[in-house]
Amino acid sequence: MIEFNYKALPWNIVFGVGSLHTLPNELDKLGKLRALILTTPNQAEQGRELAELLGDRAVGLFDQAAMHVPVATLEAATKICYSLKADCTVALGGGSTIGLGKALAVKEGLDNIVIPTSYAGSEMTDIWAVTEAERKVTARDHAAVPTLTLYDPHLTLTLPPEFAAASGLNAMAQAVVNVATDRPNPIISSLAVDGIRALAASLPIIMKDPQNIEARSQALYGASMAGGALGTGVTSLHHRLCHTLGGMFNTPHAETHAILLAHSVAYNAAATSDGTARVADALGVDDAAQGIYQLAQKLGVPVSLKEIGILEADLDKAVAVTLENPLSNPEPVTPKRLRQLLDNAWRGNSPQAIKA
Ligand code: NAD
């Protein structure tokens, strides 16, 4: 029997190579006259080029966006918004920059226009976050959904292939947890399966031929669909773990997802057999967890938590913090089983089911 609930998010999307040049017109249509551009320090130059494109519509550039939206960064950006009387933000960048735009939208009611340049997929979700004292607090709020998302695959050509691979697996995680679930939703699963297919097909091409605009376009599309699945779907153990490790140890977000995804899928496989089989089918493999692990190896991303700086001695603390709050997950999560999962991921072992 089919049973499901579905609540759409108010997505407003422009997707296409060269679409960046439509932004002045899009801002005019939205009646936005004073945009504050947001970037990380790495993308400040792209931010300045965007300011030139926007002309008088841009009132400034805040180029200090940082991973996981540190509260001090949010406060600094808020002050600049007020001092420049910005009527919207234009976040150009990956999930860190988009996260800052989302936090400003929720906290200050500012319209947020978003130009994603990585595959984080955050622009398609209503999830926003802020990090204070090593704890990342996330919440869902419709106010976080961008007023407009403009995807121009041309802007992703500068995303280094090794980061594109990790970022693409971060996107894939958003799709996978919404197919390999005990509560499948047909609309969300369709988005997710399409996203998994597009990412699995395009990421290996990008590794070999980073300037391949067709593959870059497909990867950005896949990330958008995967983000859409997360935005209207669920999170479970996988996302809780990634956010816990990110908040506690400042691990790189995309790589943390890339390492843990295969292990999370193996952990939940028994409770999600139909969905896990759909993931395997979308990947073109027999076993979803092994397929993800092998894809990560093929793409050359880190496959162990130790490679990204986590110490074995940190794992017990990670288990305790992960389980501090109630967690919804297809398989029951106990400290012992979670410790085993983290141990496998820390060593970079092949993913395996963990006995109750
Ligand atoms: P990021 O935004 O930190 O980007 C990493 C680096 O790559 C940055 O220096 C960035 O400026 C640079 N970069 C991005 N695109 C580039 C390009 N095209 N060319 C050159 N450099 C480029 O990393 P991320 O993985 O995209 O985002 C991670 C953050 O996003 C985390 O804080 C994570 O929690 C958040 N996130 C949130 C959601 C959500 O739904 N709220 C979803 C996914 C990720």
Side-chain angles (χ1 to χ4, degrees):
M1 295 290 262
I2 297 175
E3 271 181 25
F4 69 97
N5 299 338
Y6 177 74
K7 192 160 188 341
L9 290 178
W11 295 321
N12 178 17
I13 298 171
V14 174
F15 192 112
V17 175
S19 61
L20 182 67
H21 295 281
T22 67
L23 187 58
N25 189 30
E26 293 292 342
L27 285 181
D28 293 347
K29 283 199 271 179
L30 292 168
K32 296 295 157 196
L33 304 169
R34 302 184 62 80
L36 177 69
I37 296 170
L38 309 174
T39 68
T40 62
N42 269 347
Q43 291 182 280
E45 186 51 39
Q46 279 177 293
R48 282 188 280 277
E49 286 165 17
L50 180 60
E52 250 176 62
L53 173 72
L54 296 184
D56 291 345
R57 300 171 191 86
V59 291
L61 167 67
F62 179 82
D63 64 6
Q64 294 300 311
M67 199 165 61
H68 306 315
V69 194
V71 71
T73 310
L74 177 59
E75 285 167 1
T78 304
K79 270 189 198 155
I80 292 179
C81 283
Y82 279 107
S83 69
L84 294 176
K85 298 188 173 61
D87 63 4
C88 67
T89 58
V90 177
L92 173 84
S96 299
T97 309
I98 294 168
L100 178 59
K102 289 168 98 173
L104 286 165
V106 174
K107 292 264 191 193
E108 308 301 329
L110 275 176
D111 276 295
N112 61 337
I113 288 102
V114 164
I115 307 171
T117 63
S118 78
Y119 309 134
S122 170
E123 65 284 352
M124 293 292 281
T125 83
D126 57 354
I127 302 168
W128 71 285
V130 63
T131 300
E132 187 164 19
E134 292 187 352
R135 293 291 167 95
K136 181 170 175 176
V137 179
T138 61
R140 285 188 182 255
D141 190 323
H142 273 211
V145 178
T147 313
L148 170 71
T149 296
L150 195 149
Y151 290 103
D152 187 342
H154 190 72
L155 295 168
T156 63
L157 290 174
T158 51
L159 193 63
E162 58 282 6
F163 181 61
S167 186
L169 289 174
N170 175 193
M172 193 176 280
Q174 300 168 356
V176 166
V177 300
N178 278 291
V179 182
T181 169
D182 53 350
R183 288 173 289 158
N185 175 306
I187 300 173
I188 297 169
S189 297
S190 303
L191 286 180
V193 164
D194 210 27
I196 295 168
R197 283 209 184 97
L199 288 160
S202 56
L203 295 175
I205 300 175
I206 291 171
M207 297 310 289
K208 287 195 194 123
D209 180 9
Q211 297 305 305
N212 186 317
I213 191 69
E214 181 53 42
R216 291 284 193 173
S217 199
Q218 225 191 352
L220 194 58
Y221 165 78
S224 175
M225 296 301 106
L230 182 71
T232 47
V234 296
T235 58
S236 50
L237 172 63
H238 176 74
H239 283 82
R240 171 71 68 80
L241 260 182
C242 292
H243 286 179
T244 303
L245 297 182
M248 288 175 75
F249 309 117
N250 205 25
T251 55
H253 182 81
E255 285 83 350
T256 311
H257 273 278
I259 294 164
L260 286 171
L261 182 59
H263 298 280
S264 315
V265 169
Y267 188 96
N268 279 329
T272 63
S273 49
D274 289 354
T276 305
R278 284 192 79 186
V279 172
D281 185 56
L283 289 167
V285 298
D286 293 333
D287 180 287
Q290 292 300 334
I292 292 165
Y293 184 69
Q294 281 158 13
L295 178 63
Q297 284 179 317
K298 181 172 167 187
L299 296 175
V301 299
V303 290
S304 70
L305 292 175
K306 63 181 163 187
E307 284 173 81
I308 58 167
I310 294 195
L311 304 176
E312 196 171 10
D314 291 331
L315 298 183
D316 285 333
K317 194 174 158 200
V319 169
V321 176
T322 304
L323 296 180
E324 258 175 13
N325 294 309
L327 170 63
S328 170
N329 188 63
E331 272 289 311
V333 185
T334 61
K336 192 171 159 219
R337 294 177 83 191
L338 182 54
R339 182 66 172 76
Q340 181 67 56
L341 182 162
L342 282 175
D343 192 67
N344 288 340
W346 186 79
R347 292 174 200 284
N349 289 345
S350 168
Q352 51 194 266
I354 295 163
K355 285 201 189 90

